[in-house]
Amino acid sequence: MALDLEAAVEEQTLKEKVRELAIKKQAIILAHNYQLPEVQDIADFVGDSLELSRKAAAAKDARMIIFCGVHFMAETAAILNPDKPVILPDLKAGCPLADMITAKDVKELKKENPGRPAVAYVNTSAAVKAEVSICCTSSNAVKVVNSLDSNTVIFVPDQYLAGYVAKRTNKSIIGWDGFCPTHARFTVDDMLKARKEFPDAIIVVHPECILEVQDMADYVLSTGGMTRLPGEIDARQFVLGTETGMVYRLQKLYPEKEFVPLNKKAICPNMKKITLKKVFDSLVNLSPQVTVRKGTRERALRAIERMLAIT
Ligand code: 13P
């Protein structure tokens, strides 16, 4: 008990030091909704992939960006802000989905499907983004695909987000077999159990879940959509089919409602690599920084800016 109290005091002190240092160094701290609770607590802004890209694009007054998320997110911020340091407190915070496709794979897909525009989910490397017409996130994927002047569209790398889009557009989708290991682990069995255990709850899942799970849910939403939903409907209890960091995020936003994970084991090990101590160290040392080569950056920027312009 005494140890718990000591740890809580230590955490509070570190949080205060991080905030003081962020102000002193004119750093903006951006955090994804899946970050550890103590990291969400010290951020200037917590949001989904699209909201974080927008914040990064608008971070003109900050002298540096501390990005609490995974590598492709910090890379997107670096593409949008070539003149300021973008710091990812742990460079090993990667994304297995982003690693499932390379720029060479996209070039081959384009060669096999000439004239078809290619869309890359933001969960990709800068090199992949440099090869496509436009990027998308889970919150704007349908809008992005509908904006393209072609009946057939290449869409990489998440096969389940591609399936989600295919159901909501009249376009033919040429997909890729990538998936997010954290989201693809939700099963039909998890859904059946949740319906039985929480009969009055609203079940909301992420479009990276397998299609059978999406079909059984009440809503299929990005983490940003999940953040808004409890404020828009009357329900009191929500089961969340996404990374468990969302439970903390929503419980803090809506203390009068109840949020339950669809599966407690849905933890993204990469998102959880960013700790409060690493955020503090990165502010002290201004490292590790994420950088993108000029040529790649310029081409990737076009795809990101097209996305930001239409949504
Ligand atoms: P969101 O855009 O919904 O935040 O998606 C984040 C993500 O990478 C899911 O794995």
Side-chain angles (χ1 to χ4, degrees):
M1 196 64 185
L3 263 181
D4 282 356
L5 185 64
E6 214 172 283
V9 171
E10 212 170 284
E11 183 180 291
Q12 189 52 35
T13 311
L14 193 52
K15 280 181 177 172
E16 283 162 17
K17 282 187 184 166
V18 167
R19 284 309 319 160
E20 271 168 32
L21 213 47
I23 292 168
K24 193 167 149 212
K25 302 222 170 174
Q26 294 176 36
I28 182 167
I29 305 182
L30 303 179
H32 188 267
N33 289 318
Y34 297 157
Q35 288 292 290
L36 288 167
E38 58 274 24
V39 174
Q40 294 190 27
D41 289 347
I42 51 84
D44 291 290
F45 181 79
V46 185
D48 75 359
S49 307
L50 180 63
E51 292 160 347
L52 293 173
S53 300
R54 284 220 185 92
K55 281 282 167 192
K60 304 291 174 220
D61 295 337
R63 291 187 61 193
M64 68 194 73
I65 298 175
I66 308 290
F67 207 107
C68 302
V70 290
H71 192 272
F72 74 81
M73 296 179 175
E75 207 176 42
T76 303
I79 291 166
L80 288 161
N81 290 280
D83 301 327
K84 62 181 63 139
V86 174
I87 294 158
L88 178 63
D90 186 337
L91 279 187
K92 288 198 220 69
C95 170
L97 169 60
D99 293 340
M100 288 179 193
I101 191 157
T102 64
K104 186 164 168 268
D105 295 328
V106 179
K107 278 187 200 158
E108 275 164 22
L109 267 178
K110 287 197 299 186
K111 213 190 247 170
E112 286 159 18
N113 300 280
R116 304 303 187 196
V119 181
Y121 191 25
V122 283
N123 302 40
T124 46
S125 65
V128 165
K129 290 183 178 80
E131 293 302 326
V132 299
S133 312
I134 188 163
C135 288
C136 75
T137 71
S138 57
S139 70
N140 62 20
V142 172
K143 208 167 181 179
V144 165
V145 168
N146 278 336
S147 76
L148 297 168
D149 187 19
S150 169
N151 289 330
T152 303
V153 170
I154 300 168
F155 188 98
V156 298
D158 190 288
Q159 60 187 292
Y160 303 119
L161 180 61
Y164 167 89
V165 171
K167 277 197 176 172
R168 291 160 177 83
T169 67
N170 293 322
K171 312 268 189 196
S172 297
I173 305 285
I174 300 162
W176 190 252
D177 59 2
F179 62 93
C180 161
T182 303
H183 283 95
R185 71 179 299 151
F186 294 115
T187 61
V188 166
D189 207 39
D190 288 334
M191 294 294 282
L192 292 171
K193 272 194 200 140
R195 286 273 181 230
K196 208 163 161 199
E197 203 176 331
F198 309 105
D200 299 325
I202 294 294
I203 305 188
V204 46
V205 306
H206 196 273
E208 288 174 15
C209 293
I210 63 168
L211 296 181
E212 292 86 337
V213 164
Q214 293 188 28
D215 289 344
M216 292 169 81
D218 297 307
Y219 293 86
V220 185
L221 295 171
S222 68
T223 64
M226 288 183 195
T227 305
R228 290 180 289 276
L229 182 69
E232 291 164 356
I233 63 173
D234 238 2
R236 217 198 64 77
Q237 191 181 48
F238 295 80
V239 174
L240 304 175
T242 192
E243 211 276 344
T244 55
M246 258 336 259
V247 174
Y248 177 76
R249 171 86 171 119
L250 294 187
Q251 203 62 74
K252 194 172 167 185
L253 281 174
Y254 303 99
E256 72 290 2
K257 303 205 174 195
E258 188 192 351
F259 300 92
V260 183
L262 178 58
N263 183 331
K264 283 191 199 118
K265 292 188 184 142
I267 297 170
C268 171
N270 286 292
M271 285 282 178
K272 271 39 186 183
K273 283 189 178 130
I274 310 297
T275 61
L276 196 56
K277 173 76 170 66
K278 287 181 195 170
V279 176
F280 177 75
D281 290 345
S282 68
L283 270 165
V284 172
N285 303 319
L286 303 191
S287 77
Q289 287 188 28
V290 172
T291 51
V292 183
R293 278 217 329 262
K294 192 166 175 276
T296 308
R297 187 194 86 79
E298 282 164 0
R299 292 166 62 222
L301 179 64
R302 282 204 299 265
I304 296 168
E305 282 186 335
R306 278 192 200 118
M307 167 185 84
L308 293 175
I310 67 156
T311 52

